[in-house]
Amino acid sequence: MEVTRGPVLPGGRASSAGGMRAPCRRRSARAAAGPAIFLKNGCAMKDEVLKISQTSVAQALAADYFCIYYVDVSNNKFIEYSSSPEYRAFGLPTGGDDFIEFSRKHFDALIFPEDQERFLETFTKDNIIAALDAHGFFTMTFRLMFGGVPTHVHLKVTRMIEQEKRHVVVGISNVDDQMKSREAFVKAHHARVTYSRIAQAMAGDYFCIYIVDPDTGAFAEYSATEQYSQLGISKAGEDFFGLIRGSAERLVFEGDRGRFLAVFSRERVLSLLERDGSFTTKFRLMFGGDPVYVSMKATLMDDEDGRHMIIGLNNIDAQIRREQEYQRKMADARTAAKNDFLANMSHDIRTPMNAIVGYTNIANSHLDDPAVVRDSLAKIGSSSHFLLSLINDILDISKIESGKMQLSSGPCDLAEVLRRIEDITALQAQSKSLEITYMHSGISHFKVIADELRIEQVLINILSNAIKYTPEGRSVGLVAEELPAQASGRNRYRFIVRDTGIGISEDYLPHIFESFTREQNTRLNRVQGTGLGLAITAKVVELMGGTIAVRSKVGEGSEFTVELELEPLGEAPLPSCEETTAADLAGHRVLLVEDNEINAEIATIILQQYGLAVDRARNGQEGVDKVRESGTGHYSVVLMDIQMPVMNGLEAAKAIRSLDGGRSLPIIALSANAYDDDVRDCLDAGMDAHLAKPFDPEDLAAVLGRLVLARGTCAGPQEKP
Ligand code: ADP
């Protein structure tokens, strides 16, 4: 094999040792080891070589080399002394003026590319002379390309024994077999060293390691702690899996035994190892009567000695118990938070519900006294609004906590926002006899692109708190100002809400933006609240890319500052939405698809107040049938509940859209499913708008106006633009 892959050595030449004249008077031990012994010293170069080449000893020894050169180091001239036919096939000159130059020039083309750089760096005149002076010879091993196959060769330069010390001999021999076996040896040795190091390192982690022949089951224990040895498992034997399975009854914790036996068979482990290379299983081992968590890791290794399974057992008891403790604490904390939340909610929902139920009873028993009925209805109304805002807050906080809160972005008139805030909070302040002031003289750009409702929510939350936590007779104020514009081209606004109220303690201040937290004194003072408002406010401000800060002193008051950067709207005028009045809608026919009797009745009464003729369907399928049977133009609009029996609102809307009479029929979702995802699902199903229950009759009128009367160009926040 080597012959076909490597250089063909100059064997087969005359190898008789007879007839050679001893060329040298002195022979050093070192020189005797190399090809220099072929040459005679102190001769005129060509004649000498010719003379020496006659000698059979030289021929015999030359047989080990497929090429020998003779070089005169004083002038670098060289001549080829002998070469094999295969070497001659390279077509190299057999003599010349500069041996180093010749070698570098031709060997560069013949040397295996990976070795060229090293060859050129090493095979220099200086290196050779330095080595000869130091050791009497120079050697190097590299690969020559013989027949396209890289073949290891050994080049040796030896000084001849002669007085002038002018001549050297260069011999090149084939050492391919030698090198390959050496490489294989080094590799195997290296692998052995590596494996044993790995095993030693692993042994530190594993209290026992077995080496198993996966085919026969024969095994040996590589290392084991004393504690493991006490379990009394054999150290070596013929059937590892049989042994372990047989010991399972005695050693594996009862609760884990079935699973362990199901997994730990030779076939199962081997198939897992062949698929993944390694495999781990956890179970409890009985140590001195106590179950201890262990992890068993099996690895398949394939080396020159064949396949081996390395199986290590690791004590992970402390780690598992720490994890279990952590999980238990987390579960306790979750339960405590849930209980806290439910207790808070229960209290916060019961309070307004108590008012609603109580005043409903009072109104019922005073039907003949309009003043009492009116007063009761007003209180029922305000408690209902509180309940609704609580539900909206819970919805918002759950959106925030699940990362689902999204802001919408559209034209926004800050002057309008501030006016609405004024309308709402002035009434609140008035009812508490507070002095309230609003200042926004410093704003010159009111038109921006933003989520108008969320800006309003932020400012109303802070201002309502200021009113809530400021005792009667004191003052509250809102200052809105525009700051110098940023290089980004965005407008900057600052909103400051100041009150002279009860103030916030230093202890509580760092927690003020956390959900469900309230300061003790505000709870004790029985001021209504959930501790959600500021958490939502801070998150909305953050989503807008703004900042919120608070300063406060107990007994003196608080100051909340919100800063926002908003995109200017440009020159285009804001679309104007014409207000819809009840009279405008009169005479239109509406299909109300609603399964719940009370909801249907409320909607019907409100729609009838607007002069609409109401037809009702009790589920989605009935609604679709009614649209199909009545044909185009019969209904002006459909109000669609979502969760209904037989067919839900989403499917019904899709079905209506596929009917001739339903393609352009406005459909408004009227649903208690009020998450952003629910709104998107409705619009995706082909509906035109979404109103959350309980809805404000004015909002319904506005949507109906836009869709039925097709007046105005603006779309509401939950409508298709
Ligand atoms: P709440 O529904 O309780 O008002 P918030 O999240 O809006 O919830 O506020 C959290 C807590 O911060 C309040 O319970 C109150 O203790 C305190 N707080 C908020 N604003 C003020 C203020 N202007 N003055 C005093 N305390 C305030």
Side-chain angles (χ1 to χ4, degrees):
M1 207 160 85
E2 288 77 7
V3 176
T4 52
R5 288 173 53 210
V8 179
L9 297 180
R13 269 199 263 169
S15 61
S16 153
M20 183 183 176
R21 189 158 47 89
C24 309
R25 261 186 297 247
R26 286 179 296 124
R27 185 179 285 179
S28 78
R30 211 187 280 142
I37 58 167
F38 308 137
L39 297 176
K40 183 172 175 277
N41 54 352
C43 311
M45 190 169 145
K46 198 157 186 171
D47 295 345
E48 285 300 321
V49 168
L50 288 174
K51 242 187 268 165
I52 292 163
S53 70
Q54 305 299 316
T55 66
S56 54
V57 171
Q59 281 175 356
L61 293 170
D64 287 344
Y65 292 80
F66 58 75
C67 177
I68 295 170
Y69 288 104
Y70 175 64
V71 186
D72 184 339
V73 284
S74 62
N75 58 16
N76 260 350
K77 283 185 192 300
F78 72 97
I79 188 166
E80 184 185 291
Y81 166 71
S82 73
S83 65
S84 69
E86 292 74 17
Y87 186 77
R88 278 199 293 280
F90 283 142
L92 299 172
T94 53
D97 285 341
D98 187 342
F99 182 73
I100 300 287
E101 184 52 35
F102 153 81
S103 311
R104 293 172 67 87
K105 188 169 161 205
H106 294 283
F107 280 38
D108 182 20
L110 302 174
I111 287 168
F112 180 53
E114 277 181 22
D115 295 349
Q116 281 175 9
E117 197 179 323
R118 186 169 54 86
F119 177 82
L120 292 173
E121 259 171 28
T122 316
F123 198 75
T124 64
K125 192 173 176 182
D126 288 349
N127 281 351
I128 294 168
I129 290 175
L132 289 173
D133 287 346
H135 320 292
F137 60 88
F138 166 93
T139 61
M140 75 176 293
T141 306
F142 51 93
R143 282 162 291 183
L144 273 182
M145 296 301 287
F146 275 97
V149 180
T151 306
H152 288 97
V153 297
H154 184 75
L155 178 148
K156 183 163 188 171
V157 181
T158 313
R159 193 169 262 146
M160 286 180 57
I161 308 299
E162 42 158 340
Q163 273 168 358
E164 292 87 349
K165 293 192 176 172
R166 283 193 307 127
H167 300 119
V168 295
V169 171
V170 179
I172 306 172
S173 57
N174 183 335
V175 290
D176 206 50
D177 287 349
Q178 234 171 297
M179 285 304 288
K180 282 196 176 126
S181 62
R182 188 189 300 175
E183 268 173 16
F185 171 79
V186 169
K187 218 166 120 192
H189 176 73
H190 178 75
R192 240 170 242 128
V193 169
T194 310
Y195 289 160
S196 79
R197 281 194 188 137
I198 290 170
Q200 272 166 22
M202 277 172 66
D205 287 342
Y206 291 83
F207 61 80
C208 179
I209 296 173
Y210 283 104
I211 300 170
V212 184
D213 181 332
D215 302 312
T216 63
F219 69 97
E221 187 186 275
Y222 175 83
S223 77
T225 57
E226 197 169 319
Q227 193 191 14
Y228 182 77
S229 306
Q230 285 165 9
L231 290 178
I233 300 178
S234 299
K235 289 178 183 299
E238 284 309 313
D239 182 9
F240 181 72
F241 289 93
L243 172 80
I244 296 295
R245 290 177 69 84
S247 313
E249 180 75 21
R250 183 171 62 87
L251 297 175
V252 177
F253 177 64
E254 198 183 345
D256 299 340
R257 203 175 297 144
R259 189 173 48 83
F260 176 83
L261 289 172
V263 172
F264 205 74
S265 69
R266 199 180 74 89
E267 294 72 24
R268 179 110 175 87
V269 171
L270 200 56
S271 83
L272 288 171
L273 288 180
E274 279 166 352
R275 196 189 65 190
D276 303 331
S278 76
F279 139 86
T280 306
T281 180
K282 288 177 195 157
F283 56 95
R284 277 163 288 184
L285 261 185
M286 298 304 290
F287 274 98
D290 294 324
V292 171
Y293 281 97
V294 299
S295 154
M296 178 186 275
K297 178 167 183 169
T299 315
L300 195 60
M301 293 184 111
D302 218 345
D303 55 31
E304 75 278 9
D305 297 334
R307 289 202 308 177
H308 290 108
M309 223 184 252
I310 313 289
I311 295 179
L313 284 157
N314 187 5
N315 183 339
I316 52 167
D317 202 60
Q319 182 193 336
I320 294 267
R321 293 195 193 278
R322 265 199 310 274
E323 269 167 29
Q324 285 174 342
E325 179 64 12
Y326 173 76
Q327 293 299 344
R328 200 181 51 73
K329 280 190 180 148
M330 291 299 287
D332 286 354
R334 271 199 298 275
T335 311
K338 206 165 70 190
N339 289 342
D340 261 15
F341 174 80
L342 290 175
N344 275 338
M345 282 303 106
S346 166
H347 171 266
D348 291 333
I349 290 170
R350 271 170 193 284
T351 309
M353 279 309 290
N354 186 43
I356 293 168
V357 173
Y359 282 108
T360 306
N361 289 335
I362 292 171
N364 259 329
S365 52
H366 292 80
L367 290 176
D368 50 352
D369 188 343
V372 175
V373 172
R374 204 174 302 119
D375 180 58
S376 299
L377 287 177
K379 285 170 175 152
I380 290 169
S382 78
S383 296
S384 310
H385 275 113
F386 176 75
L387 199 56
L388 187 57
S389 71
L390 171 67
I391 291 167
N392 284 336
D393 277 358
I394 294 170
L395 206 69
D396 274 351
I397 211 78
S398 96
K399 278 185 206 164
I400 286 169
E401 284 178 358
S402 61
K404 283 188 175 161
M405 178 171 272
Q406 284 174 351
L407 299 182
S408 63
S409 129
C412 161
D413 184 349
L414 289 176
E416 270 296 308
V417 173
L418 291 168
R419 191 183 55 73
R420 282 200 299 270
I421 290 172
E422 210 172 307
D423 284 353
I424 295 166
T425 53
L427 273 177
Q428 294 174 355
Q430 201 184 1
S431 67
K432 272 190 85 176
S433 308
L434 290 178
E435 187 197 332
I436 187 158
T437 51
Y438 306 92
M439 261 185 60
H440 47 82
S441 51
I443 298 186
S444 47
H445 303 95
F446 282 100
K447 309 266 168 63
V448 290
I449 295 178
D451 189 330
E452 193 170 276
L453 289 182
R454 291 293 181 189
I455 294 183
E456 197 172 309
Q457 180 187 20
V458 163
L459 296 177
I460 286 184
N461 271 353
I462 300 173
L463 213 46
S464 301
N465 274 349
I467 294 166
K468 220 160 55 165
Y469 299 112
T470 300
E472 283 189 17
R474 299 206 197 161
S475 62
V476 170
L478 166 70
V479 177
E481 53 194 13
E482 190 171 344
L483 303 173
Q486 287 287 64
S488 63
R490 293 173 147 243
N491 297 345
R492 289 171 66 215
Y493 302 91
R494 181 188 289 150
F495 304 90
I496 305 169
V497 175
R498 290 194 188 97
D499 66 60
T500 53
I502 60 172
I504 303 153
S505 71
E506 276 182 31
D507 286 348
Y508 177 64
L509 209 54
H511 305 284
I512 196 160
F513 297 119
E514 290 169 14
S515 27
F516 297 112
T517 61
R518 305 193 71 205
E519 192 166 9
Q520 200 62 24
N521 61 357
T522 54
R523 278 185 231 167
L524 296 178
N525 287 344
R526 304 199 184 283
V527 182
Q528 213 168 33
T530 57
L532 290 177
L534 285 180
I536 296 168
T537 300
K539 189 65 195 180
V540 170
V541 170
E542 187 194 314
L543 285 173
M544 288 181 182
T547 58
I548 182 165
V550 53
R551 296 194 308 162
S552 187
K553 200 155 189 198
V554 174
E556 290 185 16
S558 311
E559 180 184 286
F560 286 78
T561 306
V562 172
E563 283 189 19
L564 299 175
E565 277 185 25
L566 303 170
E567 205 177 313
L569 182 61
E571 293 311 307
L574 284 175
S576 68
C577 302
E578 292 177 49
E579 296 268 314
T580 303
T581 64
D584 296 328
L585 292 163
H588 286 276
R589 214 173 282 115
V590 53
L591 175 62
L592 175 66
V593 189
E594 170 67 78
D595 63 322
N596 182 286
E597 293 303 325
I598 291 179
N599 287 347
E601 194 176 323
I602 293 169
T604 304
I605 291 170
I606 291 169
L607 291 165
Q608 282 171 346
Q609 276 173 2
Y610 292 145
L612 287 150
V614 183
D615 196 3
R616 182 178 166 206
R618 286 181 161 72
N619 61 58
Q621 185 60 59
E622 242 182 65
V624 177
D625 294 343
K626 280 184 183 270
V627 173
R628 184 189 301 109
E629 285 155 19
S630 59
T632 313
H634 181 76
Y635 294 116
S636 301
V637 63
V638 177
L639 293 187
M640 182 76 78
D641 183 25
I642 300 301
Q643 283 188 22
M644 286 181 291
V646 186
M647 182 188 276
N648 70 32
L650 299 174
E651 289 169 50
K654 283 184 200 155
I656 289 174
R657 285 285 175 252
S658 67
L659 299 175
D660 285 345
R663 227 157 264 143
S664 56
L665 178 61
I667 307 177
I668 301 168
L670 210 56
S671 164
N673 298 358
Y675 278 93
D676 290 345
D677 291 355
D678 301 319
V679 176
R680 205 183 41 240
D681 289 347
C682 291
L683 300 183
D684 288 350
M687 299 195 220
D688 300 282
H690 178 282
L691 268 187
K693 285 181 195 162
F695 60 89
D696 185 331
E698 283 182 18
D699 289 344
L700 176 61
V703 181
L704 286 171
R706 283 193 287 271
L707 295 175
V708 175
L709 307 174
R711 287 222 311 238
T713 48
C714 62
Q718 314 284 43
E719 290 170 42
K720 268 192 186 153

